[in-house]
């Protein structure tokens, strides 16, 4: 094992999701997705989910940064930075506009052929997420989203069409983006974006969430099997939002609390990796009287569709405390989550913790023993355009530098098997959580504001030249 430097062939790149940058929400036969019925929020509030498209409301994803019509120029800029890979998603609604059709939409398939060809022209490997918060909206209104077992077959058909079509262009895949966000079932945002679930009054939110997650895990396992049958060389991973949970103190009950919260948020990974539900989650369901539709056949499918690697996002860490009276160490974000006095926060309240990335890489390795891929990391911040058009985003460089340092330590000192690193929102795009344009992550600035005003002109921030050097030196020049 080489103990200096990152491996040759390390996949440096950037990450985006179709709905957050493509726009062209009705072009080429595309149908509306869950992202098309969400408005703009603010640093303090999630965006509103409307029932259908309401005239007079502003939906930022409809146009986004119009990557659909700009992708050639944008990919040229990625190539200039030296990207080895580019992570994006395939908008499900370009391929199956409603979601339940038997035949795919050729115009949508053609778009991604062209997009992937454009990447390959520069030797940029496409890395593709199949379902990244962009479920066909029709599947929500007609089927209730992933409450419904039928969604398994719809997703699997979509996945199969994509694997078959792009099997020689795309090697790296992920099934469901941040499948575990919905563990936060008390909010409306994650269940809607993960699973197309609108909760109704009287719903047993928690039970519905576990049911949807189960159908997705089965759908993912089926897709993995089909993908490998189509081309054994495909590498198909899961995708987990990794926010490590620390105990507030070394009090044993705080330690146990942190462990229980980790279980609640990350059992999804166990199913993807080991092909079975851990005992703690089965015990939890029993105690909470959560009754799920899980068949013997489903369990069989899970064991046969385990993933090849773990893709994950890392932005921040969180801290929990154990409160008196919480005898079962159940998790309630409102009462159990506390601030971390040792770290700083972004303007959106995300706690910045580079060492947490090394901790996370080690935790994932110790727990799952699979190759890892950091498919999102980054700093959402306000940028200021100077009179001469330059953008001095030193705070972003600082954030990324500190995280890359920790990532390197995990590889060089701890021996973590890491495939690559794709910072989030390599070009400014619409925020998933708030719908804002002004929560910016990019190396490339896009002239557009939260209300939709702007020319969409692209320009390079200081971080552009910085990241180019990082890639050139394989992470040695930071
Ligand atoms: P935004 C919450 C916590 C961690 C990651 O997020 C999250 C979310 C959802 O907001 O989402 C991922 O845009 C997601 C991307 C998203 C990115 O992180 O809210 O996979 O789609 O844009 C950053 O700042």
């Amino acid at each position: 094992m080489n103990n200096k430097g990152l491996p040759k062939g390390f996949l440096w790149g950037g990450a985006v999701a179709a709905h957050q940058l493509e726009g062209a929400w009705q072009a080429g036969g595309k149908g509306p997705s869950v992202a098309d019925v969400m408005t703009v929020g603010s640093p303090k509030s999630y965006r509103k989910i409307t029932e259908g498209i309401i005239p007079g409301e502003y939906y930022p994803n409809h146009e986004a940064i119009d990557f659909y019509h700009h992708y050639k120029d944008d990919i040229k800029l990625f190539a200039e930075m030296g990207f080895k890979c580019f992570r994006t998603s395939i908008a499900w609604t370009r391929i199956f506009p409603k979601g339940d059709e038997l035949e795919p939409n050729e115009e949508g398939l053609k778009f991604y052929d062209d997009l992937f060809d454009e990447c390959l022209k520069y030797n940029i490997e496409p890395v593709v997420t199949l379902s990244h918060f962009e479920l066909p909206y029709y599947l929500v209104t007609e089927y209730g989203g992933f409450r419904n077992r039928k969604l398994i077959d719809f997703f699997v058909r979509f996945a199969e069409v994509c694997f078959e079509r792009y099997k020689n262009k795309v090697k790296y895949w992920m099934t469901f983006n941040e499948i575990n966000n919905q563990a936060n079932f008390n909010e409306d945002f994650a269940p809607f974006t993960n699973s197309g679930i609108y909760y109704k009054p009287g719903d047993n939110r928690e039970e519905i969430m576990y049911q949807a997650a189960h159908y997705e895990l089965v759908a993912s396992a089926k897709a993995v099997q089909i993908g490998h049958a189509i081309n054994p060389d495909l590498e198909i991973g899961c995708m987990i939002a990794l926010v490590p949970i620390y105990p507030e103190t070394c009090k044993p009950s705080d330690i146990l609390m942190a462990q229980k919260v980790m279980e609640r948020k990350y059992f999804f990974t166990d199913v993807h990796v080991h092909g079975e539900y851990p005992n703690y989650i089965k015990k939890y369901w029993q105690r909470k009287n959560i009754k799920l539709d899980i068949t013997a056949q489903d369990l069989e499918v899970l064991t046969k569709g385990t993933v090849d690697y773990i893709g994950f996002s890392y932005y921040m860490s969180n801290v929990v405390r154990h409160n008196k009276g919480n005898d079962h160490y159940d998790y309630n974000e409102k009462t159990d989550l506390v601030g971390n006095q040792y770290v700083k926060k972004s303007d959106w309240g995300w706690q910045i913790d580079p060492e947490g990335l090394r901790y996370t890489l080690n935790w994932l390795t110790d727990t799952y023993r699979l190759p890892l891929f950091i498919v999102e990391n980054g700093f959402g911040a306000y940028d200021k355009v100077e009179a001469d058009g330059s953008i001095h985003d030193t705070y972003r460089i600082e954030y990324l530098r500190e995280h890359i340092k920790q990532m390197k330590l995990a590889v060089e000192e701890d021996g973590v098997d890491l495939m690559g690193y794709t910072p989030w929102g390599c070009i400014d795009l619409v925020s998933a959580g708030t719908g804002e344009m002004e929560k910016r992550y990019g190396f490339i600035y896009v002239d557009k504001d939260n209300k939709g005003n702007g020319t969409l002109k692209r320009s390079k921030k200081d971080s552009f030249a910085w990241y180019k050097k990082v890639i050139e030196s394989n992470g040695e020049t930071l």
Side-chain angles (χ1 to χ4, degrees):
M1 197 180 283
N2 182 1
N3 63 2
K4 199 73 198 100
L6 291 166
K8 267 211 186 95
F10 187 77
L11 291 167
W12 293 100
V16 301
H19 72 282
Q20 288 172 261
L21 87 167
E22 284 178 5
W25 72 294
Q26 289 176 308
K30 182 184 173 297
S33 81
V34 293
D36 293 317
V37 299
M38 295 198 292
T39 64
V40 192
S42 75
K44 299 240 163 353
S45 59
Y46 280 128
R47 37 211 307 214
K48 209 164 56 197
I49 302 165
T50 60
E51 280 197 39
I53 287 140
I54 313 283
E57 288 282 6
Y58 173 55
Y59 296 98
N61 298 68
H62 288 187
E63 184 196 46
I65 63 161
D66 197 27
F67 181 73
Y68 189 80
H69 296 107
H70 291 74
Y71 72 89
K72 289 194 180 173
D73 291 337
D74 293 341
I75 291 169
K76 197 169 172 197
L77 289 168
F78 301 155
E80 193 183 326
M81 275 186 278
F83 279 22
K84 313 284 181 213
C85 75
F86 173 54
R87 173 181 178 234
T88 189
S89 61
I90 295 179
W92 189 338
T93 50
R94 291 202 191 280
I95 314 302
F96 290 99
K98 287 159 77 183
D100 66 352
E101 299 92 337
L102 296 175
E103 295 303 322
N105 171 30
E106 177 54 33
E107 220 179 323
L109 288 168
K110 176 76 171 51
F111 170 70
Y112 291 102
D113 264 322
D114 295 345
L115 175 63
F116 299 148
D117 287 343
E118 196 63 24
C119 293
L120 295 168
K121 185 170 119 185
Y122 299 103
N123 290 319
I124 296 174
E125 285 260 11
V127 175
V128 171
T129 319
L130 285 165
S131 180
H132 192 135
F133 306 169
E134 43 208 0
L135 196 79
Y137 188 60
Y138 182 82
L139 296 183
V140 176
T141 53
E142 294 305 305
Y143 295 89
F146 263 99
R147 291 173 193 252
N148 192 328
R149 180 176 276 278
K150 289 193 179 123
L151 274 268
I152 297 176
D153 289 344
F154 300 147
F155 174 80
V156 171
R157 187 177 304 143
F158 164 58
E160 183 165 6
V161 162
C162 294
F163 290 140
E164 191 53 61
R165 178 82 171 214
Y166 309 119
K167 62 182 178 224
N168 299 321
K169 295 184 184 178
V170 180
K171 178 177 165 72
Y172 300 99
W173 299 82
M174 280 165 274
T175 53
F176 289 91
N177 185 66
E178 294 190 337
I179 189 170
N180 61 319
N181 280 353
Q182 55 197 326
N184 194 356
F185 55 85
N186 286 316
E187 308 271 9
D188 293 334
F189 174 79
F192 188 68
T193 50
N194 275 147
S195 302
I197 287 174
Y198 272 122
Y199 282 122
K200 302 187 283 274
D203 271 348
N204 180 343
R205 285 179 165 245
E206 190 169 22
E207 187 170 86
I208 290 166
M209 179 278 287
Y210 281 117
Q211 187 65 65
H214 173 68
Y215 292 149
E216 286 156 12
L217 290 163
V218 171
S220 172
K222 284 192 174 186
V224 169
Q225 268 181 278
I226 290 171
H228 285 153
I230 289 176
N231 180 355
D233 292 336
L234 301 188
E235 299 255 353
I236 311 172
C238 56
M239 198 311 200
I240 307 291
L242 225 310
V243 181
I245 303 296
Y246 302 153
E248 186 185 28
T249 70
C250 54
K251 192 162 68 179
S253 62
D254 278 345
I255 306 286
L256 192 56
M257 182 69 194
Q259 184 175 49
K260 288 287 145 192
V261 178
M262 288 290 273
E263 291 176 357
R264 209 71 75 237
K265 291 170 76 89
Y266 302 115
F267 81 92
F268 302 83
T269 328
D270 289 73
V271 184
H272 275 305
V273 172
H274 300 309
E276 61 181 22
Y277 284 99
N279 282 341
Y280 60 72
I281 201 76
K282 292 191 264 189
K283 287 286 187 185
Y284 180 76
W285 293 339
Q286 263 174 18
R287 178 163 61 77
K288 290 263 173 164
N289 199 25
I290 289 171
K291 299 261 187 309
L292 302 176
D293 164 34
I294 300 180
T295 67
Q297 214 188 354
D298 291 348
L299 296 176
E300 177 77 16
V301 167
L302 291 179
T303 62
K304 296 204 170 121
T306 55
V307 294
D308 300 317
Y309 68 94
I310 300 172
F312 70 98
S313 64
Y314 179 85
Y315 292 91
M316 59 187 146
S317 60
N318 273 333
V319 176
V320 291
R321 77 156 53 121
H322 176 252
N323 282 303
K324 268 221 179 80
N326 183 7
D327 296 342
H328 292 286
Y329 294 80
D330 288 337
Y331 181 43
N332 177 345
E333 209 182 279
K334 292 220 168 64
T335 51
D336 306 332
L337 210 56
V338 293
N340 185 341
Q341 58 173 311
Y342 301 103
V343 303
K344 292 203 188 92
K345 286 184 194 167
S346 81
D347 289 330
W348 280 261
W350 293 18
Q351 299 184 129
I352 305 162
D353 175 16
E355 282 171 295
L357 176 57
R358 181 174 177 188
Y359 171 81
T360 293
L361 286 160
N362 277 281
W363 180 78
L364 282 168
T365 300
D366 295 347
T367 313
Y368 301 111
R369 307 259 162 213
L370 273 190
L372 305 176
F373 196 162
I374 303 169
V375 296
E376 289 183 28
N377 172 235
F379 192 52
Y382 294 106
D383 288 331
K384 182 163 170 271
V385 185
E386 305 294 338
D388 67 353
S390 57
I391 297 148
H392 307 304
D393 57 341
T394 44
Y395 36 88
R396 182 169 296 106
I397 294 173
E398 171 78 7
Y399 178 101
L400 294 169
R401 178 191 289 129
E402 293 310 309
H403 283 78
I404 293 172
K405 276 186 195 163
Q406 294 296 326
M407 164 181 105
K408 284 184 67 193
L409 286 169
V411 173
E412 292 176 359
E413 295 206 4
D414 308 328
V416 163
D417 182 359
L418 186 63
M419 298 160 63
Y421 177 73
T422 57
W424 176 251
C426 45
I427 181 165
D428 290 348
L429 40 61
V430 176
S431 156
T434 71
E436 294 164 291
M437 260 312 295
E438 292 166 48
K439 185 181 188 186
R440 299 176 183 278
Y441 287 88
F443 304 112
I444 301 163
Y445 185 88
V446 178
D447 177 31
K448 188 168 183 184
D449 68 15
N450 287 344
K451 298 201 176 79
N453 305 310
T455 61
L456 295 180
K457 184 176 165 289
R458 276 65 166 154
S459 49
K460 297 173 190 172
K461 305 181 193 176
D462 286 357
S463 55
F464 185 101
W466 173 81
Y467 191 49
K468 181 179 193 304
K469 280 206 189 108
V470 173
I471 298 179
E472 243 164 37
S473 64
N474 203 24
E476 293 305 307
T477 307
L478 292 172

